[in-house]
Amino acid sequence: MAVKLFESELKVMDLLWKEGDMPAKEIAQRLKEQVQWSKTTTYTVLKKCVDKNAVLRTDPGFVCSPLVSREEAQSAATKDLIDRMYGGSKDLLIASLLGKQEMTPEEIARLKKLAEEFS
């Protein structure tokens, strides 16, 4: 399931991914402490997550459960980035990443291993 999540929605999702199912009231309290959101802001963002089928909200207690895993969200965001910024070319993304910063020998070895696994 490819769901495009915005930064605000990721704050809600990150909390659910780390903590698991949680009542909306508790999500609002936690985000008030973490990022100073009002209850209204949190509920608005939660509704957007529900509308996108990223979160399931059930009664009683408006318990929220993630319907999308962190890995699915990462995959969707990466695909969107590759499509928008690199014309769908994964190799151009990798080249851009490699050209902008130095890598440690351990990172290079990990990248080679990943490339071998995917080939």
Side-chain angles (χ1 to χ4, degrees), residues 2-103:
V3 175
K4 183 175 181 180
L5 298 170
F6 294 99
E7 188 173 338
S8 59
E9 295 159 346
L10 284 170
K11 290 187 187 318
V12 168
M13 296 304 296
D14 190 54
L15 189 58
L16 290 173
W17 289 327
K18 287 178 181 172
E19 304 293 331
D21 299 356
M22 186 179 296
K25 183 177 180 179
E26 186 173 341
I27 294 170
Q29 181 58 42
R30 296 270 195 102
L31 290 174
K32 180 179 181 181
E33 294 167 5
Q34 292 175 9
V35 290
Q36 292 72 50
W37 282 1
S38 69
K39 184 165 55 171
T40 304
T41 298
T42 299
Y43 286 176
T44 298
V45 174
L46 265 171
K47 182 177 180 339
K48 289 178 182 180
C49 291
V50 169
D51 291 345
K52 289 182 174 186
N53 292 317
V55 169
L56 175 66
R57 194 180 76 185
T58 57
D59 290 321
F62 296 112
V63 175
C64 297
S65 308
L67 293 175
V68 175
S69 71
R70 182 184 301 274
E71 293 75 20
E72 289 169 321
Q74 289 170 335
S75 179
T78 301
K79 182 179 180 338
D80 181 61
L81 173 68
I82 292 168
D83 289 345
R84 283 185 304 108
M85 300 302 293
Y86 298 96
S89 176
K90 297 177 204 107
D91 55 336
L92 289 178
L93 169 66
I94 300 294
S96 176
L97 291 171
L98 295 177
K100 300 298 182 205
Q101 53 187 287
E102 292 187 28
M103 295 179 68

Side-chain angles (χ1 to χ4, degrees), residues 102-114:
E102 292 187 28
M103 295 179 68
T104 66
E106 294 82 16
E107 290 171 327
I108 293 169
R110 248 189 346 257
L111 186 58
K112 285 180 181 178
K113 184 177 178 187
L114 281 172

